[in-house]
Amino acid sequence: MHVPDGFIDAPVSAVTGVVAAGAIAVSLRGARRELDERTAPLAGLVAAFIFAVQMLNFPVAAGTSGHLLGGALAAILVGPFTGVLCVSVVLLMQGVLFADGGLTALGVNITDMAIVTTVVAYAVFRGLLAVLPRRRRSVTVASFVAALVSVPAAAVAFTLMYAVGGTTDVSIGKVATAMIGVHVLIGLGEAVITALTVGAVVAVRPDLVHGARGLRQRLRLRLNGELVDAPAPAAPVAARASRRTLWLTGLVTSLVLAGFVSFYASANPDGLEKVAHDQGIDKKAEKHASSDSPLADYGVRDVADARLSGGLAGVIGVGVTVVAGSTVFWAVRRRRDADVSPASTASTGA
């Protein structure tokens, strides 16, 4: 789904760049309400995990592969505003360092892969939680469906952008059919990965999962003939792992996936690449501005061994992404702390 340079013309690329910039600005403000001292470190880890899992292309059909987009996973784990930022950080790292996704198409990619997937997935997720029983299993089920829907939604969004700003004269009906068809299959993989990951985190630290907040109704006691809320427990009973343990486990998992497991990923073209080749969308694709990067195409230049080159590139990518993401979310959290500082509270009260 990473759109290269040359697929979409300059005017549409510029418009989506403005849309992406506006969405990121709104998300930076919205993330202040979602992040605190407990969840801010998790957000940086989520970005790194998405980067790692996106290296694991899985086969779908007819010589095509797919990979995680991550919008649903990020939105459910850390919130929709923070989720947009997580995926945007990943896309920026991929475009600048690994020549994956065009730089002039960065607005297109953020709009499609960060904004559309996150908004659609979180809307579906919340809608399902409103009607499902208030249980942890419902979070996993809703995560599966939300992720499944988000991927073809992104395919539809790309098709609409291409209908307006495509650089080749192709049948939009054929593009839409091919894009949606293959991305429904990719969505199944996205749904499995998202549901397994969300389910694993909910099992050990449900208090850290944004989508699981308020899942259980507060216990009510009858006092003097009236029902009153019972006092909240001092700490979550189900929190069986410390934040540090969870963070380290997630980081090690990301490093192993990107540094080792990625070598066994499918080498088939992904959904967009396959459709672009079959339908002639790629006729005017341009050379990537970062094609001379020492990490271009997820390999380390001058390292001859393919397994070692790809593994080192994956480890570097995870490291850079977790640092970049954590820096962004640490700054957002600091801004939140400043907004609610005693001095600002006092001045508001005055």
Side-chain angles (χ1 to χ4, degrees), residues 28-37 39 213 329-341 344:
L28 285 169
R29 294 184 62 87
R32 296 183 203 172
R33 300 190 298 271
E34 295 173 346
L35 295 173
D36 54 30
E37 69 281 355
T39 57
R213 292 178 182 178
F329 299 124
W330 177 82
V332 172
R333 190 195 73 181
R334 287 291 299 270
R335 185 64 182 269
R336 167 194 167 118
D337 293 343
D339 289 344
V340 298
S341 65
S344 62

Side-chain angles (χ1 to χ4, degrees), residues 138-231:
S138 297
V139 175
T140 304
V141 171
S143 299
F144 183 94
V145 178
L148 175 62
V149 173
S150 70
V151 177
V156 171
F158 169 79
T159 303
L160 293 175
M161 285 187 280
Y162 198 83
V164 177
T167 55
T168 56
D169 186 15
V170 298
S171 170
I172 297 301
K174 292 182 179 179
V175 171
T177 301
M179 282 291 292
I180 296 171
V182 72
H183 283 91
V184 167
L185 298 177
I186 295 173
L188 290 171
E190 177 106 9
V192 170
I193 295 170
T194 301
L196 289 175
T197 305
V198 171
V201 180
V202 167
V204 295
R205 289 300 300 261
D207 58 308
L208 297 182
V209 178
H210 182 89
R213 292 178 182 178
L215 185 63
R216 292 189 176 277
Q217 295 178 334
R218 179 73 65 82
L219 177 64
R220 308 199 76 190
L221 303 176
R222 185 172 297 278
L223 182 64
N224 297 328
E226 296 183 1
L227 287 176
V228 297
D229 289 335

